[in-house]
């Protein structure tokens, strides 16, 4: 059987996309339409055998794990939360850097509800972090606007990403502990890494070169 020559790359819109496009350009891959503005979810590139799919940031590891995409670019925050070791993570691109922090109100609060409550969308990562320290917390899953939770007494603390710190500050919160340094990584489907090695390895090499020259 002739090996499949096509390559599908999963990207997410937003912060990572803006920084991922120069990486792809460095590897000689240019989408034929602007992924930031088009409504199309499958984009052709200048290379006939390479296409880009646009998915939610949290879905990038899923597409790659199941082989619906051969490779993708995902934040370490998303990868830690996905946490199933079924994709290769061969390259830290060093882009979209930020920190995952535990943040709370400026004054130290006694827990409102006995046990400390932490609101976050990073439920697994937060559970592992506190369990690793033997600290008992109740985790409340939210999908966005985490900063509101301590303000309204829903939680004592939040776990979220911080870049400039402006969002925390604007909501009267301060970073208290760093849980992880975050950057975006290239992830690769394990079977594709074997079956399409001749296409994927040169691409990884070019991306690594791009990173060095940055
Ligand atoms: P900032 O106000 O600059 O600290 O940015 C914080 C907000 O931007 C939070 O809502 C974060 O979820 C989001 N954010 C910051 N950095 C990143 C990143 N590298 N990837 C995804 N979201 C981010």
């Amino acid at each position: 059987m002739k090996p499949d020559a096509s390559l599908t790359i999963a990207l997410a819109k937003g912060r990572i996309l803006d920084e991922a496009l120069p990486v792809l350009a460095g590897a000689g891959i240019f989408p034929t339409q602007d992924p930031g503005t088009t409504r199309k979810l499958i984009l052709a590139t200048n290379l006939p055998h390479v296409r880009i799919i646009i998915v939610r940031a949290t879905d990038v590891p899923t597409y790659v794990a199941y082989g619906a995409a051969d490779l993708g670019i995902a934040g370490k925050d998303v990868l830690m939360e996905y946490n199933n070791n079924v994709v290769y993570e061969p390259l830290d691109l060093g882009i979209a850097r930020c920190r995952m922090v535990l943040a709370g109100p400026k004054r130290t609060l006694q827990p409102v509800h006995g046990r400390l409550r932490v609101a976050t969308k990073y439920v697994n990562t937060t559970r592992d972090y506190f369990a690793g320290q033997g600290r008992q917390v109740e985790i409340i899953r939210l999908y966005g606007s985490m900063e509101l939770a301590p303000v309204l007494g829903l939680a004592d603390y939040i776990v979220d990403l911080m870049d400039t710190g402006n969002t925390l500050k604007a909501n009267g919160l301060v970073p208290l502990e760093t849980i992880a340094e975050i950057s975006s990584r290239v992830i690769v489907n394990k079977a594709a890494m074997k079956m399409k090695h001749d296409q994927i390895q040169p691409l990884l090499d070019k991306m690594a070169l791009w990173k060095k020259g940055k």
Side-chain angles (χ1 to χ4, degrees):
M1 198 173 76
K2 203 169 156 265
D4 180 3
S6 71
L7 267 192
T8 302
I9 303 174
L11 297 179
K13 276 193 182 174
R15 227 171 262 241
I16 295 180
L17 182 63
D18 297 341
E19 295 193 48
L21 289 178
V23 182
L24 291 183
I29 297 171
F30 300 88
T32 50
Q33 283 168 299
D34 179 357
T37 52
T38 179
R39 284 167 185 264
K40 277 195 167 182
L41 299 174
I42 301 180
L43 305 179
T45 71
N46 59 314
L47 304 179
H49 62 288
V50 177
R51 62 182 182 170
I52 290 170
I53 59 166
I54 304 295
V55 301
R56 274 189 77 126
T58 46
D59 292 336
V60 171
T62 308
Y63 276 85
V64 174
Y66 284 89
D70 299 296
L71 64 158
I73 297 179
K76 186 67 183 171
D77 54 319
V78 168
L79 295 171
M80 289 195 309
E81 192 64 16
Y82 194 73
N83 190 28
N84 68 359
N85 281 327
V86 299
V87 296
Y88 287 127
E89 197 186 305
L91 182 60
D92 177 357
L93 292 168
I95 59 171
R97 283 183 184 279
C98 60
R99 285 195 286 152
M100 187 183 290
V101 298
L102 177 71
K106 282 174 193 139
R107 24 193 192 95
T108 322
L109 273 188
Q110 286 298 314
V112 184
H113 309 279
R115 200 147 56 132
L116 215 59
R117 277 186 174 177
V118 182
T120 187
K121 62 179 174 185
Y122 301 106
V123 170
N124 298 328
T125 312
T126 301
R127 191 188 305 111
D128 291 350
Y129 175 71
F130 283 104
Q133 300 181 342
R135 290 154 85 185
Q136 288 266 329
V137 295
E138 181 181 344
I139 298 169
I140 298 180
R141 183 195 290 275
L142 290 178
Y143 293 92
S145 303
M146 261 82 73
E147 299 81 11
L148 265 181
V151 178
L152 297 183
L154 173 62
D156 303 295
Y157 296 112
I158 62 168
V159 168
D160 196 9
L161 301 184
M162 178 183 109
D163 180 14
T164 60
N166 290 339
T167 305
L168 289 180
K169 199 170 168 194
N171 292 287
L173 302 174
V174 288
L176 301 167
E177 297 172 21
T178 296
I179 293 174
E181 299 289 340
I182 304 296
S183 56
S184 292
R185 321 289 167 109
V186 179
I187 55 171
V188 182
N189 174 270
K190 286 193 175 174
M193 192 68 182
K194 290 196 190 83
M195 308 290 288
K196 302 183 181 180
H197 189 265
D198 291 354
Q199 291 146 273
I200 292 177
Q201 192 56 53
L203 196 54
L204 292 174
D205 292 343
K206 282 184 203 159
M207 288 181 179
L209 258 181
W210 172 90
K211 185 188 169 186
K212 257 193 181 168
K214 197 166 61 129

